[in-house]
Amino acid sequence: MTIPNADPRAKLFVALDLPSVAAAERLVALLGETVTHYKIGYRLGYAGGLAFGRDLIAAGKTVFFDLKLHDIDNTVREGVESIAASGAHYLTVHAYPQTMRAAVAGKAGSGLKILAVTILTSWNDLDCAEAGYAGTVPILVANRARQAAALGIDGIVCSAEEAGSLRTSGLPDHVELVTPGIRPAGSAAGDQKRVVTPGAAIAGGADRLVVGRPITAAADPAEAANAILMEITAAMR
């Protein structure tokens, strides 16, 4: 099932950062047709989530494997080839030139979209400096986004705080901006340092939002997802 971009559900990836496939299955059942796009990262991925992702794809869901690949060229290329063969729709790699080139080569001929992770939304300028990077978060994100677009990457992962400036900086329209660190008003930021509300993210230029705990930890996950979708819909008008 292909969900058109005009449908707000196509804007929302629910992060299945859960301890087991059984827990993920329960959440997906609770969300029903309210949610059509899912992200699978390390926690679930290493607990049977890659196979579960294939089940979701077979059920007509859009699946984003958030594996943040970064290794020698051959290893990245072959890893991407394996993910592409699964039928997955999105895959993350770290935004280093050699890694991005290898990922683009690995997805050739498939429908897989590669997303380059610029700077984690749990990082700020101090974290970048501690890791040895020169420049502020906005400068690093902009530089990596430009490199990614030039190398044929399909989209980038950044904070919604940077989405607007990237769109006005000349980044091609076909490059998708995928933004984690999304928190509805009043939600706890948790370990995120660069957070934005769903409506502000869409209004600011984000193409797709990644939301985890505000939905997965909610007393009523479907109600929480619906509230976010309503906010997205209002921002799309």
Side-chain angles (χ1 to χ4, degrees):
M1 177 175 61
T2 300
I3 303 297
N5 279 332
D7 188 326
R9 293 179 299 170
K11 304 287 187 184
L12 175 64
F13 277 101
V14 170
L16 295 174
D17 296 327
L18 300 168
S20 67
V21 169
E25 288 174 336
R26 287 193 293 271
L27 180 64
V28 170
L30 282 172
L31 293 173
E33 291 304 309
T34 300
V35 173
T36 56
H37 289 47
Y38 289 98
K39 180 184 83 75
I40 294 174
Y42 295 158
R43 190 183 190 193
L44 183 60
Y46 293 146
L50 297 183
F52 179 62
R54 289 192 287 272
D55 293 340
L56 289 176
I57 294 163
K61 304 295 187 182
T62 295
V63 171
F64 165 9
F65 284 125
D66 186 18
L67 303 182
K68 299 183 181 72
L69 301 185
H70 181 46
D71 211 310
I72 64 171
D73 296 4
N74 195 57
T75 299
V76 170
R77 178 179 55 78
E78 291 179 342
V80 172
E81 288 173 354
S82 293
I83 293 296
S86 75
H89 303 87
Y90 292 86
L91 170 69
T92 49
V93 303
H94 277 291
Y96 291 89
Q98 296 87 345
T99 295
M100 292 189 287
R101 289 190 192 98
V104 170
K107 68 127 184 180
S110 75
L112 179 66
K113 291 187 176 183
I114 302 296
L115 303 175
V117 178
T118 53
I119 299 294
L120 299 174
T121 51
S122 60
W123 282 30
N124 58 21
D125 291 347
L126 292 176
D127 296 309
C128 290
E130 185 179 23
Y133 295 111
T136 63
V137 166
I139 289 172
L140 289 167
V141 169
N143 289 341
R144 291 181 174 188
R146 283 193 293 270
Q147 277 190 324
L151 291 171
I153 293 294
D154 301 290
I156 68 164
V157 179
C158 63
S159 165
E161 288 183 356
E162 294 104 36
S165 61
L166 289 177
R167 276 291 173 231
T168 59
S169 71
L171 195 71
D173 289 342
H174 70 267
V175 177
E176 296 187 26
L177 300 180
V178 179
T179 59
I182 301 299
R183 292 289 185 271
S187 296
D191 55 3
Q192 301 289 343
K193 294 179 180 175
R194 292 163 23 243
V195 299
V196 176
T197 64
I202 293 295
D207 295 299
R208 305 192 195 278
L209 314 182
V210 178
V211 182
R213 284 162 284 187
I215 292 174
T216 61
D220 186 335
E223 182 181 351
N226 266 316
I228 291 171
L229 288 169
M230 289 176 64
E231 192 171 340
I232 290 171
T233 301
M236 290 171 64
R237 290 177 181 150

